[in-house]
């Protein structure tokens, strides 16, 4: 085993996934936002929502392009960096990988038709129907690739005899115990994050002095959607906790710094480990027992039940805390905004509140990042839990460190380039100009 190759393979995979997941999340969530905006515009005969859909679709194309590049890089790296893993697992879980590619082509075909037929349909309803396969294709891409990740956490659908795989059942492998909660969590967080990122853009335009009702309508729509999907994310997170308690108790125990098996277990938030003791933490009585088993008196398995070499890194506790804190904060902010809008409270129009909304965009993306780090690091030391350790699946090449540096350069160019293109795209065609053009086309006032 080449320890250096294992280390750099993990670093490069983490780098690629961390970069890709931002664009992938937007790529999954934004099509649904576009569809909802266009449907709202059609239903209410409101041109502002039609413009929302049209402008979001333009920006969405850029994120799709970068997502394709980084997604391809992940596929290559799976084969190059983890050849032993792919040789073993590829026999079982190749089906969803193929289906993910098909789902992307399905999305891309209808996205192209949608983008180039804006002015070909007299009825917005007929044009809007093209978004249905786009949204389905984007979401199904996430579903199929998440199924692969679920299989890594709960492998099934095969038997291991003398180091060889036999009785392979690809469909059974796809519908593993981790699949329902992981797929649901990925979709809900993608929709939630996309809503808050777009809301942050609307809030920023208002802070920059725009008085167009277009941005205010966008913000209200997106905060409502963000609230809905943040609540869904919290509920699915509760199911995820129960899954971990049943199937991956070592991951739950490491994330919660639960060292000794026992009953009436509190939930530990933040804190610090000193000589094996948890200090300065916030402890919520009975909460971990409730999270794990819906029973405040239930017994929760601790790290004392596992060999030291099978225990995930304990720093995942902080990843869990950050992820949960961001999710709860965004749920609270969106709830306050929606209630205040309904009640007519004026503080939500103050600059300080708009800055909170703007901060919600990058915070949501950070929540996505730490959530995936928690998912992947929390499975260690296994690449295929209970079957293959991470070190056993890695390449033995001594050139991975050089590849890491090269990909850093590639992702820097892609990241900066995509942001420059998006900013220039919308600066050269500001909403004021587009509203004026639409007003001239319609022969009326849409302000």
């Amino acid at each position: 085993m080449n320890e250096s190759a294992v280390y750099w393979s993990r670093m490069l995979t983490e780098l690629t996934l961390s970069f890709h997941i931002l664009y992938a999340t937007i790529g999954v969530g934004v099509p649904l936002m576009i569809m909802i905006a266009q449907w709202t515009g059609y239903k209410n005969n409101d041109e502002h929502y039609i413009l929302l859909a049209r402008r979001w679709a333009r920006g969405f194309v850029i994120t799709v392009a970068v997502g394709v590049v980084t997604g391809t890089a992940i596929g290559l790296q799976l084969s190059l960096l983890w050849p032993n893993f792919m040789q073993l697992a590829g026999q079982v879980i190749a089906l969803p990988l193929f289906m993910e590619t098909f789902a992307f082509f399905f999305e891309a075909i209808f996205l192209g038709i949608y983008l180039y037929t804006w002015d070909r349909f007299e009825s917005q309803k007929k044009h809007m129907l093209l978004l249905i396969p786009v949204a389905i294709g984007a979401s199904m891409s996430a579903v199929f690739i998440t199924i692969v990740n679920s299989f890594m956490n709960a492998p099934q659908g095969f038997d291991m005899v003398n180091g060889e795989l036999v009785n392979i059942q690809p469909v059974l492998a796809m519908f593993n115990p981790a699949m329902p909660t992981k797929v649901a969590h990925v979709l809900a967080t993608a929709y939630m994050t996309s809503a808050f990122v777009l809301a942050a853009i609307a809030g920023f335009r208002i802070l920059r002095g725009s008085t167009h009702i277009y941005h205010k309508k966008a913000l209200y729509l997106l905060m409502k959607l963000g609230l809905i999907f943040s609540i869904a994310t919290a509920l699915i997170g509760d199911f995820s906790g129960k899954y971990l308690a049943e199937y991956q108790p070592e991951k739950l125990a490491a994330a919660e710094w639960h060292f000794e098996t026992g009953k009436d277990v509190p939930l530990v938030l933040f804190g610090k480990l000193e000589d094996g003791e948890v200090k300065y933490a916030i402890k919520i009585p009975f909460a971990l027992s409730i999270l794990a088993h819906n029973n405040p008196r239930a017994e929760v398995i601790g790290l004392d039940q596992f060999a030291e070499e099978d225990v995930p890194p304990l720093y995942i506790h902080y990843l869990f805390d950050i992820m949960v804190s961001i999710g709860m904060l965004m749920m609270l902010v969106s709830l306050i905004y929606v209630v205040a809008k309904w009640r007519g409270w004026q503080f939500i129009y103050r600059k300080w509140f708009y800055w909170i909304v703007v901060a919600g965009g990058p915070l949501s993306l950070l929540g996505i990042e730490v959530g995936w780090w928690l998912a992947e690091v929390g499975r260690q030391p296994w690449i295929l839990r209970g079957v293959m350790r991470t070190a056993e699946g890695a390449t033995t090449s001594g050139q991975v460190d050089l590849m890491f540096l090269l990909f850093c350069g590639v992702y820097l160019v892609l990241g900066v380039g995509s942001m420059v293109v998006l900013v220039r795209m919308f600066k050269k065609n500001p909403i004021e100009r587009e509203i004026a053009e639409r007003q001239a086309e319609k022969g009326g006032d849409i302000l």
Side-chain angles (χ1 to χ4, degrees):
M1 180 182 68
N2 187 335
E3 292 186 5
S4 175
V6 174
Y7 173 80
W8 286 110
S9 293
R10 291 187 64 185
M11 290 300 100
L12 179 52
T13 304
E14 181 177 7
L15 172 70
T16 302
L17 284 173
S18 297
F19 186 78
H20 173 73
I21 198 63
L22 300 178
Y23 290 89
T25 297
I26 298 299
V28 172
V30 167
L32 182 63
M33 304 299 116
I34 297 172
M35 187 167 68
I36 291 173
Q38 192 164 348
W39 177 80
T40 303
Y42 165 75
K43 181 182 177 182
N44 299 327
N45 194 26
D46 190 327
E47 284 287 337
H48 290 113
Y49 292 105
I50 303 297
L51 280 174
L52 275 176
R54 190 163 190 164
R55 289 171 67 82
W56 289 346
R58 292 172 186 164
F60 173 64
V61 174
I62 307 302
T63 62
V64 168
V66 178
V68 169
V69 174
T70 53
T72 303
I74 290 175
L76 290 171
Q77 288 174 17
L78 279 175
S79 298
L80 294 174
L81 302 180
W82 309 102
N84 298 330
F85 165 73
M86 289 302 293
Q87 183 179 11
L88 179 71
Q91 303 175 61
V92 187
I93 206 66
L95 179 59
L97 288 172
F98 168 77
M99 294 174 73
E100 191 272 339
T101 304
F102 176 80
F104 169 74
F105 285 141
F106 184 72
E107 173 195 0
I109 290 169
F110 283 94
L111 177 62
I113 298 172
Y114 173 80
L115 290 171
Y116 289 103
T117 55
W118 265 102
D119 301 315
R120 302 295 180 93
F121 287 90
E122 293 183 6
S123 170
Q124 285 292 337
K125 181 179 180 181
K126 292 180 180 178
H127 184 245
M128 181 183 64
L129 292 176
L130 291 169
L131 278 172
I132 296 175
V134 175
I136 291 175
S139 295
M140 291 309 295
S141 291
V143 168
F144 291 130
I145 205 67
T146 305
I147 285 175
V148 177
N149 185 267
S150 301
F151 172 77
M152 295 167 70
N153 286 276
Q156 66 175 32
F158 63 92
D159 294 320
M160 184 77 74
V161 178
N162 297 325
E164 299 289 333
L165 295 185
V166 297
N167 301 325
I168 296 173
Q169 303 177 63
V171 175
L172 182 61
M174 288 176 61
F175 291 94
N176 57 76
M179 187 272 288
T181 53
K182 270 195 169 290
V183 167
H185 195 70
V186 164
L187 291 179
T189 53
Y191 301 146
M192 178 191 76
T193 301
S194 297
F196 287 132
V197 167
L198 294 173
I201 295 171
F204 183 73
R205 293 303 305 159
I206 295 172
L207 280 171
R208 291 295 298 269
S210 177
T211 57
H212 280 287
I213 196 172
Y214 166 91
H215 296 296
K216 295 176 181 177
K217 288 182 177 180
L219 185 57
Y220 185 43
L221 173 67
L222 292 163
M223 293 301 274
K224 286 191 294 184
L225 292 173
L227 176 60
I228 292 169
F229 289 118
S230 61
I231 293 173
T233 297
L235 293 174
I236 296 166
D238 179 69
F239 290 125
S240 298
K242 290 168 177 53
Y243 160 78
L244 290 177
E246 180 70 21
Y247 294 97
Q248 289 182 272
E250 74 282 4
K251 182 176 181 179
L252 180 65
E256 293 303 327
W257 283 354
H258 177 47
F259 295 101
E260 295 183 5
T261 302
K263 299 181 179 180
D264 313 334
V265 185
L267 186 69
V268 177
L269 295 176
F270 304 104
K272 181 181 179 182
L273 274 180
E274 291 185 358
D275 299 323
E277 293 186 11
V278 180
K279 296 184 177 181
Y280 317 116
I282 301 172
K283 295 186 178 182
I284 305 175
F286 308 106
L288 185 56
S289 290
I290 294 172
L291 175 66
H293 301 292
N294 268 345
N295 182 350
R297 300 294 181 182
E299 181 180 81
V300 181
I301 297 174
L303 292 177
D304 58 336
Q305 300 297 310
F306 302 97
E308 185 176 349
E309 62 270 19
D310 293 335
V311 173
L314 295 181
Y315 72 80
I316 66 172
H317 171 75
Y318 296 113
L319 301 179
F320 176 84
D321 288 344
I322 295 171
M323 177 187 70
V324 172
S325 298
I326 290 174
M328 297 305 292
L329 173 64
M330 294 315 301
M331 184 193 303
L332 180 62
V333 170
S334 56
L335 177 62
I336 290 172
Y337 183 89
V338 171
V339 172
K341 191 81 172 178
W342 173 57
R343 300 287 295 178
W345 298 337
Q346 297 302 305
F347 70 88
I348 59 172
Y349 304 114
R350 301 286 181 86
K351 281 189 175 181
W352 63 267
F353 192 85
Y354 281 127
W355 277 118
I356 293 176
V357 172
V358 171
L363 278 176
S364 297
L365 291 173
L366 176 61
I368 287 289
E369 288 282 20
V370 297
W372 271 104
W373 295 340
L374 171 63
E376 295 303 289
V377 178
R379 191 181 60 249
Q380 299 306 312
W382 304 99
I383 190 171
L384 192 60
R385 184 178 180 272
V387 177
M388 176 181 284
R389 292 183 180 268
T390 302
E392 297 170 345
T395 181
T396 56
S397 171
Q399 306 300 317
V400 185
D401 52 347
L402 177 60
M403 288 178 60
F404 179 84
L405 295 175
L406 292 174
F407 274 99
C408 281
V410 170
Y411 297 146
L412 180 63
V413 171
L414 285 174
V416 173
S418 62
M419 294 305 297
V420 169
V421 169
L422 285 169
V423 170
R424 289 186 176 181
M425 176 188 295
F426 290 109
K427 271 192 173 182
K428 289 184 177 180
N429 190 29
I431 186 60
E432 293 83 357
R433 178 186 302 172
E434 192 155 353
I435 286 176
E437 291 174 355
R438 298 286 289 180
Q439 180 181 345
E441 290 176 7
K442 297 291 182 180
D445 187 6
I446 65 169
L447 296 177

